[in-house]
Amino acid sequence: MKNIILLAPPAAGKGTQSKLICDTYNFIHISTGDLLREEVKKETSLGLELKAKMETGKLIEDSIVIDLLKNKLEECKNSDGFIYDGFPRNIKQAELLDEILRENNSKIDEVIYLDLDYETAKNRIVGRCSCTKCGEVYNTLIDMQKPKKDGICDKCNSSLYKRNDDNEETFKTRFEVYEKETKPLIKYYENIVKKVDSTKDTNMVFEDIKSILGEPK
Ligand code: ADP
């Protein structure tokens, strides 16, 4: 079983690349952002608390994230591999992941750092919207990435939505939190991390990732 970490600032394409990797390599996508948003949708008291915090762009407590992660790993324990998207987000989470993997006689196989500058990331975020059903991502400010019909997914005709935290103000905090909390992980994983230029288009980024991961089985 493989464990692949995608390390990146907001809007570097973690979600999009994770989907491509999972389709090609038959891995399971573990996005802690998605797991938290699922909790928010349930409208439990925890969900409401998470919603308020996520809208500010700050990180959620490690213990909550770790619990959600462990449940997901347990649910999918017979998979060929996992893509960790948005996790670990700080050194403490990286240490906890090391522990969880050690207990399962497993290890991290690759850490891929998707590099993206602040301005490019901001432009991607402000126009971003996604399909409620298939997760396809669009951008209303970039001609090549607009949906054919306003608010409707080209692929499955479902409606598109905009994340609450995809606005300029929250983005600024998300990027600052990334610089302070997450970027130090590049040093933590210095012996294994590989850098990919994420300003390139989706397919080119995916080609670079494939050259790191090798041929699918
Ligand atoms: P992005 O990387 O594009 O900002 P995510 O979907 O990964 O978006 O995360 C959205 C929000 O969910 C974060 O701003 C944070 O509040 C919370 N979050 C996601 N993953 C984690 C994590 N591993 N630890 C703490 N908070 C997290």
Side-chain angles (χ1 to χ4, degrees):
M1 187 222 287
K2 292 249 181 209
N3 292 287
I4 320 285
I5 292 175
L6 291 187
L7 192 64
K14 286 183 300 218
T16 307
Q17 295 300 333
S18 296
K19 265 180 92 206
L20 291 169
I21 297 169
C22 290
D23 291 348
T24 307
Y25 293 88
N26 202 24
F27 292 163
I28 299 279
H29 180 200
I30 301 203
S31 154
T32 44
D34 286 349
L35 293 175
L36 290 162
R37 280 184 287 276
E38 274 167 33
E39 223 28 63
V40 169
K41 259 200 223 152
K42 291 185 198 155
E43 294 184 343
T44 55
S45 57
L46 172 65
L48 293 174
E49 215 179 285
L50 295 177
K51 181 170 187 279
K53 187 132 192 205
M54 287 166 78
E55 279 172 7
T56 69
K58 301 219 175 91
L59 292 186
I60 302 298
E61 291 75 16
D62 297 333
S63 59
I64 297 177
V65 177
I66 292 286
D67 279 352
L68 291 171
L69 174 85
K70 281 187 173 165
N71 289 344
K72 179 79 181 177
L73 289 176
E74 183 58 30
E75 246 173 56
C76 310
K77 60 181 168 202
N78 297 321
S79 131
D80 287 350
F82 296 104
I83 303 292
Y84 298 89
D85 155 3
F87 181 89
R89 204 70 156 220
N90 56 30
I91 302 280
K92 183 73 204 161
Q93 292 183 6
E95 289 169 351
L96 290 167
L97 179 62
D98 284 341
E99 238 173 69
I100 295 171
L101 295 181
R102 214 176 304 123
E103 280 165 16
N104 290 299
N105 294 319
S106 195
K107 64 171 181 44
I108 294 162
D109 296 281
E110 300 286 354
V111 178
I112 301 174
Y113 165 44
L114 303 177
D115 188 24
L116 193 71
D117 60 281
Y118 180 86
E119 278 304 315
T120 313
K122 189 180 83 184
N123 292 339
R124 287 187 186 176
I125 286 280
V126 176
R128 177 162 83 169
C129 54
S130 330
C131 176
T132 42
K133 193 163 173 214
C134 71
E136 188 68 17
V137 179
Y138 297 88
N139 194 306
T140 52
L141 301 177
I142 303 173
D143 278 341
M144 301 276 289
Q145 295 174 24
K146 284 182 184 164
K148 292 199 180 84
K149 269 193 249 159
D150 268 0
I152 303 289
C153 178
D154 295 352
K155 296 218 160 139
C156 73
N157 264 326
S158 303
S159 53
L160 302 181
Y161 79 103
K162 191 154 179 59
R163 273 171 45 176
N164 288 343
D165 58 352
D166 273 354
N167 58 65
E168 204 167 329
E169 200 190 321
T170 307
F171 168 75
K172 196 165 169 273
T173 310
R174 278 156 69 197
F175 207 92
E176 282 166 6
V177 170
Y178 163 76
E179 293 271 334
K180 185 161 168 268
E181 304 269 341
T182 311
K183 221 171 170 191
L185 290 173
I186 296 171
K187 176 101 180 93
Y188 184 88
Y189 292 123
E190 66 185 343
N191 294 329
I192 170 175
V193 68
K194 291 177 186 131
K195 178 164 146 179
V196 169
D197 173 5
S198 287
T199 55
K200 296 200 262 186
D201 78 43
T202 302
N203 292 335
M204 284 165 79
V205 172
F206 187 51
E207 285 306 313
D208 288 347
I209 291 180
K210 275 200 292 193
S211 70
I212 294 172
L213 297 182
E215 283 304 308
K217 271 197 274 168

